[in-house]
Amino acid sequence: MSQIRFALAQIDTCIGDVQANVESVLRYARRAFEAQTQVVVYPEMTLTGYPIEDLALRATFRKTAWEAANTLAQSLRDEGMGDLYVIVGTVGTDHNSDKPRNRMVVLHNGVVWAAYDKHFLPNYGVFDEYRIFSSGDQSVVLDVDGARVGVAICEDIWQDGGPVSALAQQDIDVLVTINGSPYEEGKMHTRVELAAKRAKEVGAPVIYLNQVGGQDDLVFDGGSFVVDADGGMIQRSAMFVESLDYFDLDTQAEQQRVGTVVEPRDPDEEVYAACVLGLKDYMRKNRFTGVCLGLSGGIDSALVAAMAADACGGENVWGISMPSMYSSDGSKDDAADLAERIGAHYDVQPIESLFSSFQDQLSLEGVAAENLQARIRGVIVMAYSNAKGVLALATGNKSELACGYSTIYGDAVGGYAPIKDVFKTRVWQLARWRNKAAAQGVGIGGLNIVGNEGEDKGIALSDGVMIPVNSIEKAPSAELRPGQKDADSLPEYDVLDRVLASYIEHAHGRADLLADGYDERTVDTVMRLVDRAEWKRRQYPLGPKVSSLAFGRDRRLPITSGLRE
Amino acid sequence: MSQIRFALAQIDTCIGDVQANVESVLRYARRAFEAQTQVVVYPEMTLTGYPIEDLALRATFRKTAWEAANTLAQSLRDEGMGDLYVIVGTVGTDHNSDKPRNRMVVLHNGVVWAAYDKHFLPNYGVFDEYRIFSSGDQSVVLDVDGARVGVAICEDIWQDGGPVSALAQQDIDVLVTINGSPYEEGKMHTRVELAAKRAKEVGAPVIYLNQVGGQDDLVFDGGSFVVDADGGMIQRSAMFVESLDYFDLDTQAEQQRVGTVVEPRDPDEEVYAACVLGLKDYMRKNRFTGVCLGLSGGIDSALVAAMAADACGGENVWGISMPSMYSSDGSKDDAADLAERIGAHYDVQPIESLFSSFQDQLSLEGVAAENLQARIRGVIVMAYSNAKGVLALATGNKSELACGYSTIYGDAVGGYAPIKDVFKTRVWQLARWRNKAAAQGVGIGGLNIVGNEGEDKGIALSDGVMIPVNSIEKAPSAELRPGQKDADSLPEYDVLDRVLASYIEHAHGRADLLADGYDERTVDTVMRLVDRAEWKRRQYPLGPKVSSLAFGRDRRLPITSGLRE
């Protein structure tokens, strides 16, 4: 047979929920089967969810996953889909090693028909696979109705040599790679270039199938695609939504037919959608239906509230204004305005008398007194979270978290921090982008992300403004003492954010930063702030940590350190 | 020459503080040189401290370490010690890899005279070395005045094959291994057995030199030793103190001479000393001179306060009693009694009126109202920390943290949690051990740990009791509602602790636990509590996390998980 139809099942799995993942596989397999598909491809570690971290080490969990693969194969056959080749990821046991494997299994004719184990185990950035898995050492070519299908898992195509090199000698008709590749800005381009290189190496089209959805502090963006043997884009799925697309491989043809190629989104839209999807999936997978947060009238809490409204609807957002003696009238008005625009619950809980009660006993001064205000607010936010069973959101952005410009157990409380990985300059951009989208008619919940596909375009905004312009345009202030401004304590945000990116994300030391062209005073200020903040943050752990990757894990540095460079 | 003197320099390094580490090396080298030593051996990654985690990836830091090794070699020569062979660990750059190396360098005659790179990079439990280092692939034998000295770094001797196998073919006279091996109960025995096996393999004595001191949430116990070619113990240094001991290798002798073999401590003494050293070094390396903590009158805060007094002296401990309407008189008396016995500052800060102020506004009920009490206490503890510049201690034990029997941002606040890795049943044992030691005359600060070597035996206790017997013997209660007892919410601690150990530390799943002989109801209760707590803890990060290793890193599980096994 010269025509093989591949279905690209870009689904949103949940770690540990094997049963739900199996049901999702079945649901998509039925749709693919009805569309005359021969091969359905799912993301990396479909059955277990990804990344499963130390769950991989639990023997009973591996057993559950193995039984699920077999039961799923039987279910497919029982439903008359035994002829399908269903490619899913799971955790596997290897009898020559103490460690499990990151495994791909092919379900066919009611059994686990073939298996392939990932060779290259990433152990950098957000990845810890070498810790929990052992490496496969075989390359695998499947014979699917006469077509030679080579397979690989994620990192296998990022490294030279290994299984792809082996496949290059085996005259394959197509390379299928299943992935759990987290979102980073600009990464789509890198993936496509890489796949194009591998396509040329193996002399065949490459199917790149990626997971979609939020999982803890990672967001997987989907955007699965197919490039032909020359590296040309011939099929691309949407980002941030589940999807089922098709690729018809013609093993006799000189050139493959071009299908639907979804164009990438605007960069601000991409980041905004990633933040909302991360929050939405965090809520759904942890069974939260609502959130609460402090609304200060500032841009950070306004943006987070807007994202929350997009994730779960304004009626499930509890905004709490907690004015003190230092809060300006403008701030209170902006908070109320925002709450009304997004349709959130809005409560005012003044903290002045609570502050006085504490001060009668403690008589604090300076920073201790400033922190007390923030901590009283933290207690109130958590009281709402406990009393209403909603998720408390921390509203800190990456710039202030990196510099420690927040109060531990104060404004930093919260179970999820939607913009912890967004620099302040980007916060303003995202707010402006969201208002622009609102003006163009994208109402609350109207974003195209997982879970919103079938919904209405959301609640329209009366005047096309979602985030009050005041909140975007005024000078940022913590309002913990009279006349306080961020600019009193921090370098200007446009410079600050660039230095932070170099220092945190690219591991530049002092000498590097000076060579980058930043002046000595700025470099020393930023390094001092970040080091001190990192130390304090790890001493007194906050929720949100500073990430070295977009939506990734923070850099890992020791707490106790005499480092003075 | 048939006689070679090795000095075992068991020192306490600080991560990142290259200058202080170099000075410590010099100080010990001078003492060893005066004692006619030829070779001085220091712990793994001496110059950089260990474990350096992602600091290894910073190029400017690697440069600093490289320059320090060269400067140190010159200083040794300049001081007339050029003939010494000084074996130190550091971070090295490899020109064939992007990643740095975990390197041993031998300083001699004013230069870096030889180098060896660690082969096996541990990446399990608390270790992440594969993430940050590349592997060495050479074995190295040093010629030291005619003696053939084989070398290895830590994990190299834990794995079969590799450098030790290579050295077994090279007729060495002694194997020197430098280590950063964290404390775990019973690990000393494992290390000695392992070294004995390697000694027989290479047919020569093995020098095992271990780091000592606290570093973040790890404690290195020292206890360096030498076994002869038959695996017999011929020299052992003390645990938990810096030390300089000697081993005279006679390359001609059939049998090596037995030196000083320090006997191991009592297991409770060992764990207590490890906790105190961890706290003491955390304070010293982070430049804290005092601590504050809430004193409830219960056993956990009493034990932590006693440890703090042993670490920094009672006069640097601020104990805060924060009684509510539910606090018993007994609790208040026990807290005051404890503070007096250890010579701590003692303040009473009632929370009843603060609680009323919040309740006037919030009208909370049930768990939300219980949490409010704990969070008001958290605000007060942090106010002391901010106002006095002291480290806030969290007093939770491993059993309650594992089960989530604590309030996020409430009693869980604190920068360091001295007993986070001690099960409740062990808490009682440690309290009894400390009282027994006090009765035998071990006063406050009288423990033999790093920093206490030269001190007086501490302040004697008037009646030989440090921790009030009441606090040890009464039934544990959180006192957040009338008549509340731990036993209402948790299984009995003797059963609970054993199930927790299996579930958390040995990754037993439900089927395993039932096979272990625990009844279904207990297993399901404990698993539900732990899973829910782990999820809540990671959503709303506390300070202390549950460790899977004694003094180690918690197991890493995803937050968002549909796991129902």
Side-chain angles (χ1 to χ4, degrees), chain A residues 289-359:
Chain A
T289 52
V291 301
C292 63
L293 75 166
L295 292 183
S296 70
I299 184 62
D300 296 325
S301 57
L303 180 65
V304 169
M307 287 173 169
D310 279 329
C312 64
E315 70 280 14
N316 296 308
V317 176
W318 272 262
I320 317 161
S321 169
M322 296 174 282
S324 75
M325 46 289 178
Y326 307 127
S327 300
S328 65
D329 288 342
S331 293
K332 290 178 256 186
D333 294 346
D334 293 340
D337 186 20
L338 180 275
E340 193 184 339
R341 287 174 182 279
I342 63 172
H345 303 264
Y346 181 68
D347 284 357
V348 179
Q349 298 284 1
I351 66 162
E352 198 164 348
S353 74
L354 294 166
F355 182 75
S356 300
S357 303
F358 274 102
Q359 283 295 61

Side-chain angles (χ1 to χ4, degrees), chain A residues 7-23:
Chain A
L8 281 63
Q10 173 175 300
I11 67 172
D12 185 353
T13 57
C14 179
I15 289 178
D17 201 344
V18 176
Q19 199 184 330
N21 297 335
V22 163
E23 282 162 15

Side-chain angles (χ1 to χ4, degrees), chain A residues 150-413:
Chain A
V151 296
I153 304 178
C154 207
E155 189 77 7
D156 288 337
I157 71 162
W158 290 80
Q159 306 292 331
D160 288 325
V164 176
S165 284
L167 294 174
Q169 312 304 317
Q170 294 180 62
D171 192 28
I172 59 174
D173 293 309
V174 65
L175 172 59
V176 171
T177 168
I178 64 174
N179 301 271
S181 179
Y183 174 66
E184 280 176 62
E185 214 181 328
K187 197 173 185 183
M188 171 62 84
H189 182 69
T190 314
R191 289 181 198 138
V192 173
E193 274 199 340
L194 179 73
K197 180 176 156 194
R198 297 307 175 201
K200 289 174 201 157
E201 188 177 345
V202 298
V206 171
I207 298 174
Y208 183 100
L209 192 288
N210 194 23
Q211 173 175 353
V212 70
Q215 178 65 50
D216 298 350
D217 55 357
L218 298 177
V219 175
F220 297 88
D221 51 330
S224 303
F225 61 88
V226 183
V227 291
D228 65 18
D230 300 322
M233 177 67 64
I234 52 176
Q235 173 75 44
R236 181 156 58 200
S237 304
M239 294 171 80
F240 306 115
V241 288
E242 286 199 325
S243 64
L244 185 64
D245 292 303
Y246 299 94
F247 164 59
D248 293 316
L249 173 72
D250 186 336
T251 58
Q252 311 298 324
E254 282 290 303
Q255 290 212 314
Q256 302 298 325
R257 205 166 52 85
V258 177
T260 310
V261 177
V262 175
E263 282 306 302
R265 301 181 183 217
D266 168 273
D268 286 327
E269 179 178 0
E270 206 176 275
V271 173
Y272 189 93
C275 290
V276 174
L277 176 54
L279 172 58
K280 181 171 189 136
D281 258 2
Y282 192 87
M283 292 180 66
R284 183 172 63 85
K285 294 179 182 178
N286 289 306
R287 303 177 189 193
F288 281 107
T289 52
V291 301
C292 63
L293 75 166
L295 292 183
S296 70
I299 184 62
D300 296 325
S301 57
L303 180 65
V304 169
M307 287 173 169
D310 279 329
C312 64
E315 70 280 14
N316 296 308
V317 176
W318 272 262
I320 317 161
S321 169
M322 296 174 282
S324 75
M325 46 289 178
Y326 307 127
S327 300
S328 65
D329 288 342
S331 293
K332 290 178 256 186
D333 294 346
D334 293 340
D337 186 20
L338 180 275
E340 193 184 339
R341 287 174 182 279
I342 63 172
H345 303 264
Y346 181 68
D347 284 357
V348 179
Q349 298 284 1
I351 66 162
E352 198 164 348
S353 74
L354 294 166
F355 182 75
S356 300
S357 303
F358 274 102
Q359 283 295 61
D360 289 347
Q361 247 173 266
L362 300 172
S363 306
L364 301 174
E365 292 171 356
V367 172
E370 293 183 26
N371 284 339
L372 176 59
Q373 298 164 53
R375 292 201 178 106
I376 290 170
R377 292 188 176 119
V379 172
I380 294 171
V381 169
M382 289 307 294
Y384 271 73
S385 171
N386 286 168
K388 298 189 187 297
V390 294
L391 176 68
L393 296 181
T395 61
N397 64 66
K398 185 165 182 164
S399 309
E400 71 179 30
L401 290 173
C403 291
Y405 199 67
S406 71
T407 298
I408 293 160
Y409 310 132
D411 51 305
V413 306

Side-chain angles (χ1 to χ4, degrees), chain B residues 295 301-303 305-306 333-344 466-468 471:
Chain B
L295 292 183
S301 58
L303 180 66
D333 294 346
D334 294 340
D337 186 20
L338 181 272
E340 193 182 340
R341 287 175 182 278
I342 64 171
M466 192 159 180
I467 297 168
S471 295

